[in-house]
Amino acid sequence: MSVGGHPRFGQLAWENFTVSAETQVLDGCCGSGQTKQFLVQYFPDVTGLDASQRLLELARKNVLSANYVEAFAESMPFPDCQFDTSTQQGCYARNVIGPIAKNISRIIPRA
């Protein structure tokens, strides 16, 4: 199925998602910021999390308007339910889902 290439594929999950001025998004395992380039266009508060200082430096250069935190996804330094939703395209560890779910206040199911 063709959906318009990689950029379009990354946007599909966010279609029909309600955004408010208070919406907080966690971009887990954010890498160099490709997903955040899309997210900051629609969400007012985006935080990128990654364990790689080098990738976070690239992400800061690529997307100035996001927040960044250097940490492992398995042990995120956030209070429970700080975020409304999250992305985690680069998180492959099995023990990451629990910490991510703990830090978002609601999970938006795909239609």
Side-chain angles (χ1 to χ4, degrees):
M1 173 177 73
S2 175
V3 294
H6 184 269
R8 175 73 180 123
F9 183 72
Q11 296 172 14
L12 288 176
W14 300 104
E15 288 185 356
N16 301 317
F17 186 83
T18 303
V19 178
S20 72
E22 295 82 31
T23 299
Q24 294 184 359
V25 178
L26 171 65
D27 185 13
C29 306
C30 69
S32 61
Q34 294 90 346
T35 302
K36 273 182 299 316
Q37 289 174 338
F38 167 76
L39 292 173
V40 296
Q41 295 176 45
Y42 299 97
F43 297 94
D45 189 351
V46 178
T47 298
L49 173 102
D50 205 285
S52 169
Q53 181 180 21
R54 182 176 171 270
L55 287 175
L56 287 174
E57 289 170 3
L58 288 171
R60 284 184 184 100
K61 291 177 184 176
N62 291 331
V63 184
L64 299 174
S65 60
N67 304 306
Y68 296 94
V69 174
E70 183 180 344
F72 287 99
E74 295 88 346
S75 56
M76 289 185 269
F78 306 118
D80 291 357
C81 300
Q82 177 173 332
F83 300 96
D84 296 301
T85 191
S86 71
T87 68
Q88 55 272 350
Q89 293 179 356
C91 296
Y92 299 111
R94 289 182 181 199
N95 54 345
V96 171
I97 299 303
I100 288 174
K102 185 173 109 172
N103 285 285
I104 57 175
S105 61
R106 60 189 166 130
I107 297 173
I108 308 302
R110 289 187 177 186

